[in-house]
């Protein structure tokens, strides 16, 4: 038996009072936007969010998959590193899924990652050196601009319109700067929501062949798109293309499972970079995802999300039009690219004080400049009270 002294300790001088930390600052760059998504400080819907709302996800699907994997393997996976290239069961399931998109890739041509962003980082570190020129879409994904710039790459923005990238500008940039890569989203582009036409995809691949650069196809939002839309990697057969995707946008952001499909000659290089960055990826999550793919539970979840998103998009589009916005590109998928008629950086600051997270247009340009555009998430922009706050912030 032991006796513990329970006397109160001597009082210490009270520390100086510090004002409680307020909500994070409004987004002024890619990192700030991400921090705002993680720490919104409010329970209001976030029109600038990059993912589905939490109540659209299916926790029962996830828990069932995890229980099944742990039951089959008696928890042994929790005590082991995963395979360097990723769990073979998942890679086989992914190869089958890619076949449904017309992309023929074996399991040996797939390397898993902790999310699509990590897969893009693996590709960049494996194929690029500081100072290399990289073609990117503009407007485009703010995080990709920031990530490539941090690695020391020279960004070559290619204007992106309703019909896809401006191929004339792309050809001029390729001829003058000899880029190593073109990182693009061919289906449900972020932030415009548009997709490449078959003719545009064919011409783009011809330019890649002519000017000797590889194309990295980011299909992060592919689960929200019709399967018949053309993928560059399917047309090219993974000759000059690398295909990147993940499941955080459709399944749950917390399961960081992504992957890259690549030509066989690059696989060992990609695995080496992966091993140096994360050693391996979590086998339990990868096998749980494989179970979701094999049993069709992910497909059924995707179908439910499609139906719900179609309704949300219709409501959000009508609200945006009613409140004076104009869609720059036809609304499709999860995102709308809208012209508000006012400086959206100022607008984001005003609405941030009321608890609304916006994604102003300047975040989607490789070189910062004022913009009247903003990206809205259809799933989180279908609420009248946001648009009423929007009107007040615009002075309408």
């Amino acid at each position: 038996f032991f006796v513990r002294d329970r006397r109160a300790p001597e009082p210490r001088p009270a520390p100086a009072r510090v004002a409680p930390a307020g909500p994070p600052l409004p987004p002024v760059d890619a990192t700030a936007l991400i921090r705002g998504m993680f720490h919104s400080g409010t329970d209001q819907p976030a029109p600038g969010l990059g993912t589905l709302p939490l109540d659209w996800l299916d926790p029962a699907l996830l828990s069932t998959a995890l229980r099944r994997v742990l039951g089959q393997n008696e928890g042994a996976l929790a005590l082991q590193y995963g395979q360097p290239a990723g769990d073979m069961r998942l890679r086989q399931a992914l190869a089958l899924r890619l076949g449904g998109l017309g992309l023929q890739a074996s399991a040996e041509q797939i390397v898993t990652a902790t999310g699509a962003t990590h897969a893009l980082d693996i590709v960049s570190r494996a194929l690029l050196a500081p100072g290399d020129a990289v073609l990117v879409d503009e407007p485009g994904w703010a995080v990709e601009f920031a990530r490539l710039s941090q690695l020391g790459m020279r960004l070559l923005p290619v204007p992106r319109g309703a019909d896809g990238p401006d191929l004339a500008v792309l050809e001029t940039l390729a001829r003058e700067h000899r880029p190593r890569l073109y990182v693009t989203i061919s289906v449900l582009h972020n932030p415009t929501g548009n997709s490449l036409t078959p003719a545009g995809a064919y011409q783009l691949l011809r330019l890649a062949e002519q000017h000797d650069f590889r194309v990295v196809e980011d299909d992060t939002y592919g689960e929200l798109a019709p399967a018949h839309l053309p993928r560059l990697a399917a047309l090219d057969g993974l000759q000059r293309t690398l295909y990147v995707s993940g499941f955080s946008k459709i399944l749950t952001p917390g399961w960081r499972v992504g992957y890259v499909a690549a030509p066989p000659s690059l696989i060992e290089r990609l695995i080496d970079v992966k091993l140096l960055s994360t050693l391996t990826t979590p086998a339990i999550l990868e096998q749980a995802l494989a179970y979701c793919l094999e049993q069709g539970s992910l497909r059924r979840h995707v179908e439910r999300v499609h139906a719900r998103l179609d309704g949300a998009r219709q409501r959000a589009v009508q609200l945006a039009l009613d409140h004076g916005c104009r869609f720059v590109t036809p609304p499709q998928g999860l995102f709308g690219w809208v012209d508000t008629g006012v400086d959206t950086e100022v607008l984001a600051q005003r609405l941030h004080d009321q608890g609304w997270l916006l994604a102003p247009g300047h975040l989607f340009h490789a070189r910062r400049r004022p913009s009247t555009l903003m990206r809205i998430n259809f799933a989180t922009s279908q609420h009248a009270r946001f648009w009423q706050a929007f009107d007040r912030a615009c002075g309408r």
Side-chain angles (χ1 to χ4, degrees):
F1 295 89
F2 299 89
V3 178
R4 185 176 64 182
D5 188 350
R6 301 187 63 182
R7 290 177 296 181
E10 292 294 326
R12 296 180 179 179
R17 290 182 62 84
V18 179
L25 295 174
V28 295
D29 57 24
T31 305
L33 179 62
I34 296 173
R35 288 181 182 273
M37 290 165 57
F38 291 155
H39 307 287
S40 64
T42 175
D43 58 357
Q44 294 189 124
L49 195 67
T51 58
L52 293 174
L54 291 179
D55 61 353
W56 285 40
L57 306 180
D58 190 346
L61 181 155
L62 306 179
S63 60
T64 298
L66 283 173
R67 285 198 306 270
R68 183 60 61 92
V69 169
L70 289 170
Q72 290 176 343
N73 295 277
E74 299 179 353
L77 288 176
L79 307 178
Q80 302 176 24
Y81 283 120
Q83 299 173 30
D87 183 76
M88 176 55 76
R89 179 180 174 186
L90 174 60
R91 288 188 285 137
Q92 290 172 341
L94 290 173
L96 187 62
R97 175 189 173 275
L98 292 179
L101 299 177
L103 173 52
Q104 302 303 316
S106 68
E108 288 72 24
Q109 287 180 260
I110 297 173
V111 178
T112 64
T114 54
T117 302
H118 180 224
L120 289 167
D121 196 61
I122 290 174
V123 171
S124 301
R125 294 178 185 276
L127 302 184
L128 297 173
D132 283 347
V134 180
L135 295 160
V136 293
D137 292 329
E138 189 175 54
W141 190 30
V143 174
E144 187 64 7
F145 295 157
R147 192 185 62 76
L148 288 169
S149 297
Q150 191 177 64
L151 291 175
M153 308 308 164
R154 292 186 294 119
L155 302 187
L156 304 177
V158 179
R160 180 87 180 217
D163 298 325
D166 187 323
L167 295 178
V169 172
L170 189 153
E171 183 173 17
T172 299
L173 291 172
R175 184 173 58 252
E176 294 178 355
H177 298 277
R178 299 187 61 81
R180 297 288 304 280
L181 291 180
Y182 176 28
V183 182
T184 186
I185 301 176
S186 58
V187 171
L188 297 186
H189 174 255
N190 177 18
T192 66
N194 64 35
S195 301
L196 282 179
T197 63
Y202 172 71
Q203 293 175 45
L204 172 55
L205 291 173
R206 286 188 61 188
L207 290 174
E209 180 72 26
Q210 181 180 347
H211 295 282
D212 193 27
F213 61 84
R214 294 186 182 274
V215 179
V216 181
E217 181 175 28
D218 179 1
D219 201 24
T220 301
Y221 298 94
E223 293 289 349
L224 299 174
H228 70 270
L229 291 177
R231 267 64 170 189
L232 291 165
L235 296 174
D236 173 67
L238 289 179
Q239 298 298 310
R240 191 167 286 276
T241 54
L242 294 90
Y243 177 92
V244 169
S245 191
F247 297 88
S248 63
K249 298 300 185 291
I250 190 66
L251 194 60
T252 171
W255 281 21
R256 306 300 302 154
V257 181
Y259 63 98
V260 53
S265 60
L266 297 180
I267 293 300
E268 290 304 317
R269 198 187 315 177
L270 296 174
I271 293 174
D272 286 345
V273 173
K274 173 186 173 179
L275 291 173
L276 291 175
S277 60
T278 61
L279 293 183
T280 59
T281 39
I284 287 180
L285 295 183
E286 292 186 351
Q287 286 221 354
L289 178 55
Y291 174 84
C292 294
L293 290 168
E294 293 164 354
Q295 300 300 314
S297 53
L298 178 59
R299 174 182 52 79
R300 292 188 291 273
H301 170 65
V302 169
E303 291 171 353
R304 292 191 294 269
V305 169
H306 274 229
R308 193 169 183 179
L309 183 57
D310 288 344
R313 187 187 309 110
Q314 185 176 0
R315 289 187 291 273
V317 166
Q318 190 58 55
L319 282 166
L321 295 175
D322 291 344
H323 289 266
C325 292
R326 177 182 65 86
F327 282 86
V328 179
T329 55
Q332 303 175 69
L334 184 61
F335 297 132
W337 190 230
V338 299
D339 192 339
T340 65
V342 300
D343 187 330
T344 50
E345 184 174 2
V346 175
L347 184 66
Q349 293 171 345
R350 291 174 181 170
L351 286 172
H352 177 269
D353 294 337
Q354 303 173 42
W356 300 101
L357 176 71
L358 263 63
H362 75 269
L363 295 178
F364 300 94
H365 291 279
R367 297 177 181 88
R368 182 171 176 171
R369 61 176 184 264
S371 175
T372 60
L373 301 172
M374 72 175 181
R375 186 193 73 183
I376 62 171
N377 181 324
F378 292 125
T380 56
S381 301
Q382 53 175 324
H383 305 278
R385 67 180 186 275
F386 162 68
W387 292 102
Q388 292 164 0
F390 170 85
D391 275 349
R392 292 193 296 271
C394 291
R396 296 171 181 168

